[in-house]
């Protein structure tokens, strides 16, 4: 990941192997220096509520973490996860990805 760039996240989501309508569900993307850090001190935490459309009706979630969110992240290695919170009752939360990510310095700063 490059600091200051838009970060595209493309997910195909399912429950028990079957695609589900994810319109109205929320995707969370979080970067932390330590896995045990509180959410309040995360290097980046972005949430996006998925619209209802033809793609989300078949479980496709496209999220763009804006450059304004990534621009303030200090370059380094971070732990990340992507969580999917279903808009159902009772609430369901799934971690759909986790691991480490390297944030690199951006070379071009001004793009206007």
């Amino acid at each position: 990941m490059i600091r200051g760039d838009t970060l595209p996240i493309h997910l195909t989501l399912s429950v028990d192997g079957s695609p589900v309508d994810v319109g109205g569900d929320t995707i969370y993307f979080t970067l932390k220096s330590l896995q045990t850090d509180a959410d309040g001190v995360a290097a980046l935490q972005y949430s996006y509520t998925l619209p209802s459309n033809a793609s989300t009706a078949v479980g496709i979630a496209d999220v763009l973490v804006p450059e304004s969110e990534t621009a303030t992240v200090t370059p380094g290695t971070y732990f990340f996860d992507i969580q999917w919170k279903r808009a159902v009752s009772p609430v369901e939360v799934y971690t759909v990805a986790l691991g480490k990510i390297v944030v690199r310095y951006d070379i071009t700063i001004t793009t206007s």
Side-chain angles (χ1 to χ4, degrees), residues 3 5 8 16-17 19-20 31 39 43 45 53 55 62 65 78 91 95 102 108:
R3 178 183 69 175
D5 283 7
D16 295 329
V20 294
L31 291 180
D39 286 349
Q45 188 167 52
N53 58 36
S55 293
D62 286 306
V65 180
Y78 294 90
V91 172
T95 299
V102 175
T108 301

Side-chain angles (χ1 to χ4, degrees), residues 14-65:
S14 62
V15 174
D16 295 329
S18 299
V20 294
D21 186 348
V22 295
D25 293 358
T26 303
I27 302 297
Y28 295 88
F29 175 72
T30 304
L31 291 180
K32 293 182 178 181
S33 296
L34 299 172
Q35 293 172 306
T36 55
D37 285 347
D39 286 349
V41 297
L44 187 155
Q45 188 167 52
Y46 181 75
S47 65
Y48 179 74
T49 300
L50 298 165
S52 293
N53 58 36
S55 293
T56 58
V58 293
I60 297 172
D62 286 306
V63 178
L64 294 176
V65 180

